[in-house]
Amino acid sequence: MRLRKKKVCSVMFAAIVLILIMAGCSQGSKDGGNMPAPAPSDSVGDKKKELESVDLIWYYGVGLQQQDQQSVEDEVNKYLKEKTDLNVTLKLKPVEFGSYDQKLNVAIASGEPMDIVWTTASWLLKYNENVKKGAFLALDDLLPTYAPKTLNEMMPKRYWDDVKAGSDGKIYAIPNYQIAATSWGFIFQKRFVDKYKFDITKVKKYEDLEPFLETLKNNEPDIIPFANPGGGALSDDPNFRNYANIFSYDINDPFKIMNKVDTSQYKAVLDVMHKWYQKGYIYKDIATVKDRNLFFKKGNVAVSTDVTFKPGGEVEYAVIFGNNEIVSQRISSPVFTGVTATMNAIAKASKNPERALMLLERVNNDKELYKLLCYGIEGKHYTEEDGVYKAVEGTGYRPEIDWVFGNQFNGLLRTGQPEDVFGQTIKRNEEAEIPPMSGFHFNDSSLKTELAAVASVKAEYAVPLETGTVDPDVVLPRYKEALKKAGQDKIMAEINRQYTEWAASNAKK
């Protein structure tokens, strides 16, 4: 009798344990209604069987829609099925840059299905704004499990501070690692440097260019001696810095923040530009050029500025400057400018955030998958020889957006770039000066009216002034007064308040 009771109790206990296990499984994950996906593995087989099939949607920006988009998507899904254990079907949703903000804002607000969303710090679908709106999922708890290589090996850990956002200071996106340290200086069409035997290594400031520009004006009637791609005015003061287009500072006193427009350095550059404009070094209608890319591709601009100076950049500039060979002279030392220029976030609305993060982990660490997304199908859309990319004539897939998909150091070289360009770039990033305010994120949510008004004023005054078209002695005071009326002082006061608090709490000062 005692043995029968023991046996019955054992059976009942086992049944209760089984019920509890099944109940736990039925609850699933609160993010997606499914059990959290297990940590990724490098093997294909048993792990794949453990993951139920899911569909993922990836929104990102593109210059132009690609004719062979579907064939590339099909090949990507074939690769994911055969070569990975993710068990996902990926839908790629490229949206042209010109309409990306509008379409994505509507899609997010309406709750449209999405999993991965491309975002940028200050260009399109602004990162901090969308974090504040609750559009993206915090990734801190997920990254160590579902994207450990990306978190620990892709880039130095200190750079992740640059990605932290929101009131909780968490990570809401994965950077597409690329050049993250910028310098500035001048770029030249080599044919003119060689023809007039101009020693570019002696150029340390704007005035050092004047003899060369004068020579070009007198001897090359069809050539524009000087023009800036964006019309921006850059100081040649080695101690002057601009931080994320938010404020300016002097490296000798980095906690005294300034509005660039109010500085003597800004006025000095405007004076040079206006003098050059009056001498005919600058194209007379430069301020009204609508398509600057087309303007430069004519190949008749001899000298310009570069605001990044990334290794191998001369090859890209050659294309921009009408396929003419470019040489460059860097003026400033490299400064770490952050890794938030291009990122991929997980949408808060994603039903499978773990799997979406696993996919990004794969893209950032699988060169074949990354190349499929960036360049298309090898042999059909491009060829590769010794790690150098070459587009197939008349290809239907050439998006030229390596920096949108993931870690750019997994990509291919362009013809003419040095073999070690990726190594040079990583070294530049790691050796760059890190500003003391690195990691500071300005919360502008209370200043939308003022920011819109200031942006309108800048659109009216900045380009005419910075291209030298107008006299800064006359127009700069008007510009400053207009900014003041628009609320610039209020913006600067709030930046200063937040920055001071941040510096104190981060023991920076």
Side-chain angles (χ1 to χ4, degrees), residues 23 89 93 153 241 272 361 365 418 430 446 494:
T89 299
K93 302 276 278 188
E153 299 176 20
R241 300 281 188 273
V272 171
E361 168 84 332
N365 296 283
E430 295 180 357
S446 64
E494 180 59 18

Side-chain angles (χ1 to χ4, degrees), residues 60-96:
Y60 59 89
V62 68
L64 293 171
Q65 296 293 345
Q66 302 297 299
Q67 180 182 342
D68 284 355
Q69 178 73 31
Q70 188 58 53
S71 68
V72 173
E73 182 179 305
D74 292 343
E75 194 68 21
V76 166
N77 280 307
K78 179 182 176 183
Y79 185 88
L80 291 172
K81 181 179 180 181
E82 296 179 356
K83 302 294 185 180
T84 79
D85 56 5
L86 300 179
N87 207 9
V88 302
T89 299
L90 179 62
K91 179 62 181 175
L92 297 170
K93 302 276 278 188
V95 177
E96 291 185 9

Side-chain angles (χ1 to χ4, degrees), residues 358-432:
M358 289 168 71
L359 176 67
L360 288 178
E361 168 84 332
R362 193 81 193 203
V363 172
N364 278 307
N365 296 283
D366 184 328
K367 292 186 178 183
E368 293 307 311
L369 179 57
Y370 178 73
K371 288 192 292 186
L372 253 179
L373 291 164
C374 293
Y375 317 120
I377 302 167
E378 187 174 4
K380 179 179 180 180
H381 300 121
Y382 77 99
T383 59
E384 175 186 346
E385 185 175 347
D386 296 328
V388 177
Y389 165 86
K390 184 178 180 181
V392 170
E393 189 72 26
T395 181
Y397 190 83
R398 193 178 180 181
E400 300 286 353
I401 51 169
D402 310 24
W403 41 275
V404 164
F405 291 115
N407 181 359
Q408 223 176 333
F409 301 119
N410 286 325
L412 298 173
L413 301 174
R414 294 306 198 266
T415 302
Q417 287 184 323
E419 291 182 5
D420 64 341
V421 66
F422 294 147
Q424 287 184 39
T425 305
I426 291 172
K427 185 180 180 187
R428 176 79 54 85
N429 288 346
E430 295 180 357
E431 291 180 349

Side-chain angles (χ1 to χ4, degrees), residues 2-226:
R2 287 195 192 98
L3 288 172
R4 285 185 66 187
K5 284 182 179 178
K6 273 187 179 180
K7 191 172 183 181
V8 170
C9 289
S10 298
V11 171
M12 290 178 66
F13 178 75
I16 290 169
V17 170
L18 181 61
I19 290 169
L20 289 171
I21 292 172
M22 291 178 69
C25 291
S26 67
Q27 288 178 7
S29 74
K30 56 186 177 183
D31 287 311
N34 300 316
M35 287 185 67
S41 76
D42 292 328
S43 63
V44 179
D46 293 340
K47 188 71 78 171
K48 185 174 181 179
K49 294 175 183 176
E50 295 178 16
L51 297 173
E52 61 182 77
S53 177
V54 299
D55 296 330
L56 296 179
I57 298 172
W58 187 348
Y59 275 97
Y60 59 89
V62 68
L64 293 171
Q65 296 293 345
Q66 302 297 299
Q67 180 182 342
D68 284 355
Q69 178 73 31
Q70 188 58 53
S71 68
V72 173
E73 182 179 305
D74 292 343
E75 194 68 21
V76 166
N77 280 307
K78 179 182 176 183
Y79 185 88
L80 291 172
K81 181 179 180 181
E82 296 179 356
K83 302 294 185 180
T84 79
D85 56 5
L86 300 179
N87 207 9
V88 302
T89 299
L90 179 62
K91 179 62 181 175
L92 297 170
K93 302 276 278 188
V95 177
E96 291 185 9
F97 292 133
S99 56
Y100 190 77
D101 256 355
Q102 180 184 2
K103 288 188 176 181
L104 265 293
N105 282 324
V106 171
I108 290 170
S110 63
E112 191 171 317
M114 61 182 69
D115 297 283
I116 302 173
V117 188
W118 178 68
T119 178
T120 75
S122 58
W123 180 30
L124 297 174
L125 201 69
K126 294 179 181 178
Y127 176 58
N128 284 297
E129 288 183 11
N130 281 278
V131 167
K132 284 181 279 186
K133 289 177 184 177
F136 304 148
L137 184 71
L139 304 178
D140 301 67
D141 295 336
L142 298 175
L143 281 165
T145 301
Y146 301 105
K149 286 185 179 180
T150 299
L151 176 65
N152 298 314
E153 299 176 20
M154 184 174 71
M155 62 186 190
K157 285 189 176 182
R158 67 182 184 273
Y159 289 5
W160 286 98
D161 288 341
D162 191 50
V163 189
K164 293 178 180 179
S167 58
D168 54 6
K170 291 190 174 182
I171 295 168
Y172 287 85
I174 292 179
N176 299 322
Y177 192 38
Q178 54 170 345
I179 184 70
T182 62
S183 307
W184 85 272
F186 300 104
I187 53 178
F188 307 79
Q189 283 201 38
K190 186 175 184 295
R191 55 180 173 145
F192 299 119
V193 171
D194 292 345
K195 182 177 180 179
Y196 296 106
K197 297 180 173 54
F198 182 64
D199 186 357
I200 65 173
T201 64
K202 293 183 178 179
V203 176
K204 306 298 180 186
K205 57 185 184 298
Y206 282 103
E207 285 80 1
D208 295 337
L209 285 172
E210 290 185 359
F212 185 51
L213 300 181
E214 181 68 17
T215 298
L216 292 168
K217 180 180 178 297
N218 293 335
N219 295 281
E220 303 288 344
D222 298 325
I223 292 300
I224 299 165
F226 181 86

Side-chain angles (χ1 to χ4, degrees), residues 199-308:
D199 186 357
I200 65 173
T201 64
K202 293 183 178 179
V203 176
K204 306 298 180 186
K205 57 185 184 298
Y206 282 103
E207 285 80 1
D208 295 337
L209 285 172
E210 290 185 359
F212 185 51
L213 300 181
E214 181 68 17
T215 298
L216 292 168
K217 180 180 178 297
N218 293 335
N219 295 281
E220 303 288 344
D222 298 325
I223 292 300
I224 299 165
F226 181 86
N228 280 327
L234 299 161
S235 172
D236 54 17
D237 181 341
N239 295 322
F240 191 71
R241 300 281 188 273
N242 181 269
Y243 182 70
N245 290 321
I246 300 174
F247 58 80
S248 298
Y249 65 98
D250 188 300
I251 60 173
N252 297 308
D253 189 7
F255 295 95
K256 179 183 178 181
I257 66 173
M258 301 174 284
N259 177 19
K260 177 181 75 172
V261 174
D262 294 326
T263 65
S264 60
Q265 290 91 341
Y266 183 69
K267 174 63 163 57
V269 177
L270 298 186
D271 287 340
V272 171
M273 292 299 105
H274 186 55
K275 179 175 70 172
W276 288 3
Y277 183 83
Q278 289 179 311
K279 289 187 173 184
Y281 301 161
I282 297 174
Y283 177 57
K284 64 183 182 64
D285 295 325
I286 187 67
T288 57
V289 169
K290 291 183 179 179
D291 189 337
R292 289 185 176 262
N293 286 333
L294 183 62
F295 174 74
F296 278 88
K297 281 186 176 180
K298 294 176 182 177
N300 59 356
V301 175
V303 185
S304 189
T305 55
D306 181 5
V307 296
T308 58

